[in-house]
Amino acid sequence: MRIRRLLTAVVATAAFTGLGLAGTATATNGDILTPGECTAAGGTVDWSTSPLPTCRGGSLDGREID
């Protein structure tokens, strides 16, 4: 029972800090990513935002795409 609680705490902490247990790649230049990084993280590219498109959904939601 303690192990299950500990594992739940570890998963929740990873989710809240944005680490992603699958080792999702992050952008090297701040919050700007490539379209491939957005879709690999489970998001879709929203081309209607200005000045740069934005990643919608997934673990990288709200980040700009270059």
Side-chain angles (χ1 to χ4, degrees), residues 3-60:
I3 293 173
R4 185 179 297 170
R5 238 183 273 157
L6 178 64
L7 182 59
T8 302
V10 168
V11 169
T13 302
F16 284 126
T17 59
L19 293 177
L21 296 177
T24 304
T26 58
T28 57
N29 56 346
D31 288 339
I32 299 177
L33 2 137
T34 65
E37 289 173 326
C38 175
T39 55
T44 57
V45 179
D46 181 1
W47 296 100
S48 67
T49 56
S50 178
L52 293 174
T54 305
C55 184
R56 296 287 179 219
S59 61
L60 300 175

